[in-house]
Each structure stands twice: as structure tokens, then as C-alpha cells.
Amino acid sequence: MSHNNKTEKESLNFLEELIDAELHSGRVTREQLLTRFPPEPNGYLHLGHASSICLNFGIAKKFGGRTNLRFDDTNPVTEDTEYVESIKADIQWLGFQWANEFYASDYFETLYSYAVELIKKGLAYVDDSTAEQIAAMKGTPTQAGTDSPFRNRSVDENLDLFTRMRNGEFKDGEKTLRAKIDMASPNMHLRDPLMYRIKHAHHHRTGDKWCIYPMYDFAHGQSDSIENITHSICTLEFEVHKPLYNWFIEKLGIFPSRQFEFARRNISYTVMSKRKLLQLVNEKIVDGWDDPRMPTISGVRRRGYTAESIRNFADVAGISRRENVTDYNLLESCLREHLNKIAARTMAVINPLKVVLLNYEENKTETLKAENNPEAAEKTYRDISFSREIYIEKDDFMEHAPEGFFRLTPGGMVRLKHAYIIRCEKVVKNDDGSISEIHCTYIPESKSGQDKSGIKVKSVIHWVDASSAITAEVRLYDKLFTVEAPDAQEGDFKSYINPDSLKVFAEAKVEPALLKHDKDERFQFLRLGYFVEDKYSTPEHRIYNRAVTLKDEWAKEQKKHR
RNA sequence: UGUCCGAUGGUGUAAUGGUAACACUGCAGAUUUUGGUUCUGCCUUUCCAGGUUCGAAUCCUGGUCGGACAACCA
């Protein structure tokens, strides 16, 4: 035992540390502690959102607080209920439950009254300028803007015009409501930001009730405030919005929610922006938002990732305030770690090569015992059949093997997992010189578990009994992009798509025991990786997706010599 | 030539004025009826220059480099 009697102090991230301190000082209580996850329902959630979800829900859970789910639905033209449903499903699948389900649109009436209040205080005005004019008057980051000619309208006139905006008397873009702050502010967001714009558009929840919609800056902070959110956690790009977030809350005299920022999570060899993911979907580069190569939550779920492994990834990757590109290896490592513990082992041959055992009796079938998971605390076994003809992996036989190749070669021996040692006697070829099948002999006294042969082989390979094998389709996935940071490359990010990101093996052979399991169960196909049944898999046409490979020292060795 | 933010191994994060560490990756080895798992070892780190201090990754000053901000998007 250690002589150190201090208990190992758990390392907290900077936000946990802050909240921990505030809880201790009494600035907030556990009862008050309230975070929120505020997606805009205009796309599917991705791994970056997963980090945010784990952070927001995780931090509240850790300190005894709660988390609201609030859809930031202030832009009716891009939003849709399809996205609302997928977002809710994804959060629940990740294992989190919100305290309340809210929508920014729930607050449209309140927000409107807030705007009226600011107009009455002389802090907001209706502007007739066009979008172009407003942009021109905004100045640049290094150059002050100029006041709008409509900036000093009377309160009464502003009130009248804003009412008429709401009543639909104006066309889209004809007028806006702006906060009256400071056109010379070094912070662009404080140069009389837009609060409301006119959009005669149908909203997925409020229908045609409104034709003016609040901008993000006039909706988000106030929504936080209305809900009494104590910690509004968002990504770094909103940092420059914080003075504005605080300005509205202060001028309105409402509950002082506070905003905190962290750096978004990037992962190598993929892109993590809704806009780019939408492009991949729209241009049919992938098979929808849940294509197993997509970094969306629905994509990795279909690929075979577990919620636990993603939560663990978020935890292990941590958070900070600096730009980052996390190694995708870390993600895969988290998945392997979990699947190694829970996935039942089975045998499947994705690229079959027929082997005939010359000295095995014809029409005989033997039943062998196979361990389901060597990692399990309690060992369980299943029956597998063995007979004269079997399939092995094409990659497990080489006629002219390089040094270091331990598998089957002419005259060489390997063990068939859970079965016998075999020796290759003859390679049978087609007319074109390709290998059609190989003829072997088996060593009867080498049966697994009762081996009296005394023969030592260098390798154990997987196989499937030809007489009982089921034909299935197996899909192997690789990285979606060929470069670490597709975003940072020159030109179109889509030109860096990996052409080999999907390989389909339509004639794979799987052992029949596989058919007895649940559809969302993960398996290890021995020596090949971890797999899950695809959503389009049917009893007549089984489809298996590879979630992740096993670590493969031999493949690594091969790569080096290429 | 503005404002704000950031800089710790290859990558991601810890260390909160007191011996720079953990994970992933990579490399080497042991074990292994999965070239898996497990185990062992190794490589590699505080952006620079000053200052404060007995002592600085940490505090201060000045640089350098990187990022965010000029949507009627969020």
C-alpha cells in the first residue's frame, strides 16, 4: 500500500473547477445549478455535439444540478421537426435525460415584450436600411462604423413601426429592429446589433403566427435567463458575443445567466461542421446523415459505436480553451476498450477460400466447443460444426510467403481456432492461374483442448464450416478523408475524400450461431474486428458493419514494407 | 495594422508558486489456441526574452506564433 494517505484528488476540468468553487462559496447552490444544451434543429448532431452534451449534462449530474434541452429555433427557414426528433433520440441514446424540453420559440411573446421595453428605454430602434447599407455602416474590425440615419427616431415612432413590423405591414428585409449601443465599439457585435428581422416564413412550431423573428443574440441569453440557467456553456466562437449577452440581460434587469466558453472538439480525418456534413449528404457522397462513415451520432451508432465508448471518449479527451485536433485513434481506442469487454466472439470469413480436408471422412460432422469471450468473468461456450470442407480467409494463405508470415503456406501448418491443426498439401488452381481451393490434411490428435500431437504452430486462424455457413454481406469502413485536417487543406474539402472508405464483401461466410442474437448486439469477428448488424440487414440478406478493426501488428508490418 | 482568446511530448489533457504527469500514438520485448487482450520497458514536453521569488509551466512585462470577430445564421 502507498504511504501516501492523501486520497488521489480527481482532476477537474476548468469548468468543473469553477463550479466546484462557486458551490463552495455559495454563489450558486446545487438546487440552482442549471445548464442547457441548445441545438438548432437544422441538422443532425455530431461528435462535437456529443462532447458538448457530455459536458453540459455531465457537469450538472456531477454536482447535483440539472440540464434543460432547448431548441434554438429562431430561424424558421432552416429548421425542421425531423431534426428535433433526431436530436432528442441522439441525446437519449447517449444516455442523458433533460429536466425540461423547451424551445426558444416558446419565448417569442416574452422576447417581443423585452424588445418593446428596450424601445421604451431608448435602447432600440427600427432601421429602414437595407442589409447592404447596414453592412456598409458597420465598419470593419479596425475601423469604426457610422450611425444609421434612422438611429434617432422617437420612441413613439419606433413603437409604432415595431408593432407594424409584427403585424406584417412590411416585406422581408424592409425593416429591422436594432439595439442602440455603440457604432464605434471595438467589438463588432456591439455596433447596434440586429434584434429582429422580418421573415414571412412558416415556423415548425409557431406556424404563421409570427413574421418577425429574433436574432440569436436577442434570443439566446434571454432564453437562458427565462429558464434561470446558471451556466450557459458554449464554444469559443461565441466569446465575442458575451458583452452583448450581458448587455441585454443588464438592460432588461432579468436573471443574470452567465456564459462560459470552451474549445470545440475536432477529430482528425473528419470534418465536424453541420454545413459540411450537410454537403456530404446532399451531394450523395455518403448514404445519408447516418452513413456509418459520418461523424454524426447517428452515423457512429449505425457503425457500431456504443454510447459508453463515446462518453468515455469525451471524458478522456477532456476540454480546454485551445484549438485542438484530437487523434481519431483515441476514439477508436475507446471503442475497442469497451467492445473487448462486451462483444461475443464469433467466426466469419469475409473473403472465403475453400479448404478440403483430404483425410476427413465425407458426410461426417463434428460439434466443437467454442469460448464466447475470453475476457468474460464467467466463461460461456457455444457449439460450432466442423466437417470436410471449410472456408478460411484468403489473406490467411500465401503461396509465396514473405518472412514473418505465420499463417498457412504450401506444406505449412496452422491451427484452426477451436479445432484442429491442418497441413497444406496442395494448391488447386483455375485455368487463369488463380487459386480455386486448397487441399489439406488435418491432424486428428491435435483437437483443441485435448491436443496430444505435440506439434507447435505459429498461428491460429479463424474459419467457418462450409456445410453450415450462412452467406452475408460485410462492409468494412475506413476514414472518410485521406488527410488529417480536411478543413485546413487548400481547395474543396471534398477533394480529400478517401475513395476506399467503404469496401463491401458480398459473399462473406458467417457461423450460424450469429443469427440467434439481438440486432444491436456487437460482435467480434475473430481476428477481423468488431461488427454490428446494419439497419438494412434482413434475415434473408444479412449485412454486418465493421465498427473498428482489431489492432493488427501484421498489417502494420506489411505497411512498413510497402 | 483594432478587440478578445490561446500557446505544456507526435496528439489530447494534468500539474492551481514546491521533483512536469496521465492517456492515445509510435518503438522494443514478454505472455498468448485471436499477429487480439494483458504485462514490461523506451522515445518525446513547458513558444521566446526579460522580471518578481529561496523556488515559475504557473505571477508580471515585452515579443513571437495561432485562433475568433465585419450573416437580416446559430
Side-chain angles (χ1 to χ4, degrees), chain A residues 16 35-37 45 47-62 65-69 86-101 297 301 306-315:
Chain A
E16 292 171 335
T35 59
R36 105 266 91 114
F37 177 65
L45 261 27
L47 257 12
H49 294 112
S51 284
S52 177
I53 291 166
C54 291
L55 180 62
N56 275 293
F57 283 88
I59 224 164
K61 201 176 202 171
K62 185 168 201 159
R66 292 161 301 137
T67 305
N68 285 346
L69 168 62
S86 76
I87 288 167
K88 285 160 67 174
D90 285 349
I91 297 171
Q92 286 175 319
W93 177 76
L94 268 178
F96 296 104
Q97 189 55 55
W98 47 89
N100 300 103
E101 176 184 335
I297 295 178
R301 176 169 61 224
T306 59
E308 181 175 321
S309 68
I310 291 168
R311 278 186 261 121
N312 187 237
F313 170 71
D315 193 43

Side-chain angles (χ1 to χ4, degrees), chain A residues 390-404:
Chain A
I390 60 169
Y391 295 110
I392 67 167
E393 209 67 63
K394 268 193 180 128
D395 287 349
D396 285 339
F397 174 79
M398 278 187 97
E399 202 173 4
H400 306 288
E403 199 182 344

